Amino acid sequence: CQISVFKAVFYILAQMLGAVVASAIVYGVKPTNIDALGVNHLNKISVGQGFVIELLTTFQLVLCVIAVTDKRRGDVTGSAPLAIGLSVALGHLAAISFTGCGINPARSFGPAVISKHFGDHWEYWL
């Protein structure tokens, strides 16, 4: 409740637009012999399993961000960016081989738009 709905919507739209632009740039400069663009997809797991994996990895990242950036907490010491970066790394180490580890739906959206591949894309948003 520290941000208005209007501002939140524009933050989401900005992230989505940024992801699409970044993916378009990567697509434009990648070598022709490489087909991958970072599109997330399920790898030998069911849709339900993929959803649970994405839910847990996103939860652990959001929980970390909230915990280390809460100004009301006086017991947080150390580097918040380091803690968040390690949380992202942990999520990727745990989930990248199963779902591509979207964590941020906008990160999954950009490559999906450029490559026109939206298979099971709902699980990265829900």
Side-chain angles (χ1 to χ4, degrees):
C1 297
Q2 297 180 11
I3 185 173
S4 69
V5 173
F6 182 74
K7 203 172 190 179
V9 167
F10 278 102
Y11 275 135
I12 292 168
L13 291 175
Q15 279 198 12
M16 292 172 60
L17 179 62
V20 171
V21 170
S23 295
I25 291 169
V26 169
Y27 183 77
V29 299
K30 73 176 180 60
T32 56
N33 63 338
I34 296 176
D35 293 330
L37 188 60
V39 177
N40 292 345
H41 59 86
L42 302 179
N43 187 21
K44 300 179 185 174
I45 59 172
S46 71
V47 174
Q49 290 170 324
F51 172 74
V52 169
I53 290 170
E54 282 296 315
L55 180 74
L56 292 175
T57 54
T58 302
F59 176 76
Q60 66 92 17
L61 174 60
V62 170
L63 185 64
C64 176
V65 170
I66 290 170
V68 300
T69 60
D70 188 355
K71 292 181 180 13
R72 297 171 293 180
R73 292 186 61 192
D75 61 335
V76 177
T77 58
S79 173
L82 178 61
I84 294 168
L86 289 172
S87 181
V88 169
L90 174 67
H92 279 78
L93 288 171
I96 201 162
S97 62
F98 299 111
T99 64
C101 194
I103 293 180
N104 181 348
R107 181 263 172 264
S108 301
F109 181 74
V113 168
I114 298 302
S115 66
K116 299 175 183 76
H117 184 277
F118 286 94
D120 296 320
H121 193 74
W122 63 270
E123 70 185 30
Y124 300 103
W125 284 90
L126 194 59

